[in-house]
Amino acid sequence: MNRKIMSALGIAAAASLTLTGCGGQDEPAAADGPVTISLAGWDFASTPEFQTLADAYHEANPDVTVELKEYPAGDDYDTALTADLSAGAAPDVFIVKNLKNYITFQEGGTLLDISDVAGELDPATGGLEPMAVDGKTYAVPYRQDSWLLYYNKELFEKAGVDLPDGSWTWDDYAEAAEKLTQGIGEKEVTGTYLHSWQSTVQGFALAQTEGATLDGGDFSYLAPYYERQLALQDNGSQPSFATVTTNELAYQSQFGTQKAAMLPMGSWYIGTLVAEQASGAADTFEWGIAPIPQLDESTTGTENTPATFGDPTTMGISSNIDESKIETAKDFLRFAAGPEGAAALAEIGITPALIDDTVADAIFALDGVPQDDLSRFAYTTHDTLPENPVGQKTAAIQTILGEMHSAIMSESTPVDEAITEAEERVANEVG
C-alpha cells in the first residue's frame, strides 16, 4: 500500500547546503589504497549496531575502516547532527533516525542521491519503497522494526485464558485483557500495558484502516481505536495514561517484571527482553510473540498477512563527503542494507530491514527467544506501513496529533471533539 505524503521539520540551517555528487553526474574516481569513512550514531554503550556494522564491513573489506562519531541519543541527535551538517562537519554517512525528518534533510541538500544503491537492493527490503522522493532515493533502510504482541504464557495459564493464536482482532484482544485482569486477580497486575506514545494507537489505525491517510485532513478513522483503549483503561485492564505518564512507567519493567500479561511493542524489544532476562533485570518466565491484533478478520490467521506499522531506520551519505570516498560509502550502504549487514545485525538481536531465513534463524537461535511456530510467523510475516509516511507535512501534522493523543487518553477532551479540533488545526496551521 503506497501512502506517500509530504512532511517537514524546520531545519533551516540545513537548507543552505549545496547538494553534490547527485545521480546523473560522472561517477567520481574511487580512492586509492586504504580508506576511512565516518559514520554517525548514538549511545554506543547500549546501541551496538553501529560498531557491529563497522566491524563486519571492515572484515569483508580490510582496506576500509568505518570510524564512528557518537551523537546524543533521543531528539538531541537530530539537533546535534543538523548543526554539524550546517557547518559542513557531519560524518560521511549518517543515520536518518526519525523518518519524519527525512524530507527536510533531503530538501536541505544534505543527502546525496543514492538511487543507484537503492536499485540494487532486494525489493523485499522493508521500508525501501517509501523512501523514494520524486523518483529518487536519498537514504536506504538497514533496520525495519515492526510492532508485535508480546504475551506472558504463564500469566495466561494462571488466568485460564487461551493463548493468542494469530486470529485476534482488537476486540478479541480487549476481551482477553479484561479476562486476564480478572483471572490473575492481583492488584498490581493488568491484562495488558499500553505505553504513552501516540503511535500505540495512531500507528495501528493508520496502517490497518483502508483508505486512511495522514495528510487527508480526516482523522475519524482514529475514533474506534481510541474508544477501545479508553474502555480498557477505564475498566482497569491496563494502567491509565495518567498513571503511565505521572509515574513514568517503563514498558520494559511492566512486562519484564510480570505486571502486565500482554504488551504491544516493536520487534526491537525481543533482544531487550532476552538480555534483561539473562541479566536478572527481568523475571524469568515463558513468553511468546503473536501478530498484532487486526481491525477485522480479513487480515487475521496464518494464511493471511497481518497489517502493522513501524518506521524504517535508514542511512544516507552526506553531501559534503570527499568525492574520492563516495563509492566506498555507497558500497558500505549496500552492505549494511543487504544480506551481509542483515545477518550481522540479527546475530545481536537487531531486526534488519531485510528479513530472510538466515536472519530468522539467527534471531530464533538466541537463548531465551520463544521457539513456537506462531512466534516465528509473527516475526517474519507482516505488511509493515510507516507511522510517519515521507512527506513535507508529516512532522507538523504529527505534532498536532500528539497533542490530540494526550487530550484523549487523559480524558480531558472527548474523542470526537478532540479529533474535530485536530482536523481544524491541521487545516488552519498546516494546510
Side-chain angles (χ1 to χ4, degrees), residues 90-111:
D92 300 320
V93 177
F94 64 89
I95 310 301
V96 182
K97 185 178 181 184
N98 298 301
L99 187 61
K100 62 185 178 181
N101 300 341
Y102 168 57
I103 198 73
T104 305
F105 288 127
Q106 181 267 323
E107 289 185 340
T110 63
L111 287 165

Side-chain angles (χ1 to χ4, degrees), residues 282-351:
D283 294 346
T284 300
F285 59 89
E286 190 177 0
W287 53 280
I289 311 165
I292 204 70
Q294 300 293 293
L295 176 61
D296 57 45
E297 294 179 354
S298 65
T299 50
T300 64
T302 54
E303 71 279 6
N304 292 314
T305 301
T308 188
F309 80 92
D311 283 349
T313 307
T314 67
M315 60 175 65
I317 300 174
S318 170
S319 57
N320 279 333
I321 189 173
D322 186 295
E323 286 195 1
S324 66
K325 298 183 178 182
I326 289 177
E327 288 310 303
T328 301
K330 285 185 175 182
D331 191 62
F332 174 69
L333 263 60
R334 292 185 190 96
F335 179 93
E340 294 172 297
L345 291 173
E347 288 178 359
I348 60 169
I350 299 294
T351 300

Side-chain angles (χ1 to χ4, degrees), residues 120-136:
E120 295 172 25
L121 297 179
D122 189 323
T125 303
L128 179 61
E129 182 181 353
M131 300 307 295
V133 178
D134 296 328
K136 296 181 179 180

Side-chain angles (χ1 to χ4, degrees), residues 145-274:
D145 286 291
S146 301
W147 279 62
L148 310 165
L149 181 65
Y150 298 81
Y151 63 95
N152 182 319
K153 294 183 178 181
E154 296 177 14
L155 290 179
F156 267 77
E157 182 178 354
K158 179 177 181 179
V161 176
D162 291 339
L163 297 177
D165 60 3
S167 69
W168 281 14
T169 65
W170 286 106
D171 289 338
D172 296 323
Y173 163 84
E175 181 181 354
E178 188 170 1
K179 288 181 178 179
L180 285 161
T181 305
Q182 296 170 352
I184 295 167
E186 297 181 23
K187 183 179 179 182
E188 299 300 323
V189 179
T190 56
T192 191
Y193 175 80
L194 187 79
H195 202 48
S196 58
W197 303 325
Q198 70 192 83
S199 60
T200 59
V201 181
Q202 296 174 13
F204 298 121
L206 180 62
Q208 296 178 347
T209 307
E210 184 68 30
T213 63
L214 198 64
D215 68 344
D218 178 5
F219 303 120
S220 60
Y221 62 89
L222 297 172
Y225 284 81
Y226 274 111
E227 289 163 356
R228 186 182 299 108
Q229 294 301 336
L230 290 175
L232 283 170
Q233 71 178 19
D234 288 346
N235 67 28
S237 297
Q238 64 190 25
S240 69
F241 179 81
T243 299
V244 173
T245 53
T246 301
N247 296 337
E248 298 182 345
L249 298 184
Y251 68 84
Q252 299 96 325
S253 61
Q254 289 298 119
F255 188 77
T257 61
Q258 303 190 83
K259 293 182 176 68
M262 295 188 292
L263 173 70
M265 191 51 59
S267 51
W268 63 81
Y269 184 51
I270 295 172
T272 300
L273 181 54
V274 166

